[in-house]
Amino acid sequence: MSKKMLPVRLQENVIVDAVFELRFTSSKGFSELVPGSAREIFGDITAIEKTPIADLPSQLREMDPNLQHQPTMRMVWEDIILIIGDRTLGIGYGTKYPGWNTFKTHIYKLFECLDSSKLSSMISSVERYSFKYIDFIPKQYYEKLEKPFPITIKLGADEVINSAMKLQIEKKEEFGVSLFEFSAPVQ
C-alpha cells in the first residue's frame, strides 16, 4: 500500500473521551476565580457543577496527594467540559469529540484565558500537562479482517496470539512519557 493510500481518519469518530489536563502549584483560591474568567472563553454556559470532592475541606484536599489534583467543579458548555480544581485545569468533551483542530483551538483559548487574567499570576509552577484519549472501535469495523490487531506476546515458552488481553506500555519520549493501553475485547 502506498503512503498516499493510508487512511488519515476513519469514517466514523471512534474517540469516546479526550481530555487535556494541566497540573500545577497555585495560590489558595485559584479554583474559585476560574469560573468568572472561563465564562469569557466559550460563551454562554450550560451548567456549572460541584464535584463530591468539593465538599471536603480544602486543607484535607491539600494534604492528601490523591486529592490534590481532583476537580472540584465542572463547567459545561454545549459539548465542552472544563474541569477545575485547586491544582488542576482540564478541557474535554461530552459525547462528541470535534477533532484535533477544534480541540487544539480550545486548548489555546484556555491558555489565552489563563494568560490574560489574574489566574496566571496564581500559578507558581507547572508540574505536568497531559493528553488522554480513549477510542473504541466497534466490532463492525474489524470483524471481516483476518487479523485486525496482530499482537503476539511470548511468556516463556507459551505464545499468546490474538487472544483476549489487556496490554499497557509506558515509553519515555522526548517530551515526557507516553502511555499506551490496549484491551480486546472490551465488554
Side-chain angles (χ1 to χ4, degrees):
M1 183 184 305
S2 73
K3 192 171 186 176
K4 289 182 182 178
M5 293 176 62
L6 293 174
V8 174
R9 178 180 195 150
L10 295 174
Q11 284 181 324
E12 299 292 324
N13 184 4
V14 297
I15 296 179
V16 294
D17 190 19
V19 176
F20 170 78
E21 182 191 35
L22 185 64
R23 291 186 175 187
F24 45 82
T25 308
S26 67
S27 306
K28 281 190 178 248
F30 176 85
S31 59
E32 285 84 30
L33 292 178
V34 173
S37 298
R39 287 179 195 268
E40 301 169 15
I41 303 175
F42 303 111
D44 292 336
I45 189 169
T46 306
I48 188 163
E49 307 160 354
K50 274 180 38 175
T51 66
I53 298 291
D55 292 331
L56 296 174
S58 62
Q59 297 86 349
L60 180 62
R61 292 192 311 253
E62 192 60 35
M63 288 177 14
D64 187 340
N66 297 313
L67 300 175
Q68 288 177 350
H69 297 100
Q70 295 298 313
T72 55
M73 69 180 78
R74 293 167 27 116
M75 292 180 75
V76 181
W77 286 265
E78 284 186 36
D79 210 41
I80 300 168
I81 299 170
L82 185 66
I83 55 171
I84 304 161
D86 301 327
R87 300 170 126 210
T88 190
L89 198 54
I91 189 166
Y93 301 93
T95 56
K96 297 176 186 152
Y97 173 69
W100 173 243
N101 288 333
T102 302
F103 192 15
K104 182 171 58 172
T105 301
H106 290 159
I107 293 167
Y108 285 147
K109 281 184 177 184
L110 185 61
F111 280 126
E112 286 172 17
C113 174
L114 280 173
D115 198 36
S116 66
S117 66
K118 296 177 188 175
L119 297 173
S120 64
S121 63
M122 296 181 80
I123 297 174
S124 53
S125 66
V126 174
E127 294 174 7
R128 97 174 192 195
Y129 62 91
S130 62
F131 289 97
K132 175 187 96 169
Y133 74 93
I134 298 171
D135 52 9
F136 177 79
I137 304 173
K139 193 171 185 175
Q140 67 194 39
Y141 295 114
Y142 64 84
E143 67 186 347
K144 293 179 184 171
L145 299 175
E146 187 177 323
K147 293 182 181 178
F149 309 108
I151 296 175
T152 304
I153 299 174
K154 191 167 186 172
L155 300 169
D158 296 331
E159 275 192 7
V160 180
I161 302 172
N162 290 329
S163 296
M165 67 176 72
K166 185 172 184 175
L167 175 68
Q168 184 173 327
I169 300 169
E170 191 171 309
K171 185 178 175 190
K172 292 199 185 279
E173 304 278 0
E174 266 183 49
F175 58 82
V177 177
S178 177
L179 184 66
F180 173 81
E181 190 172 300
F182 174 84
S183 299
V186 176
Q187 300 298 323

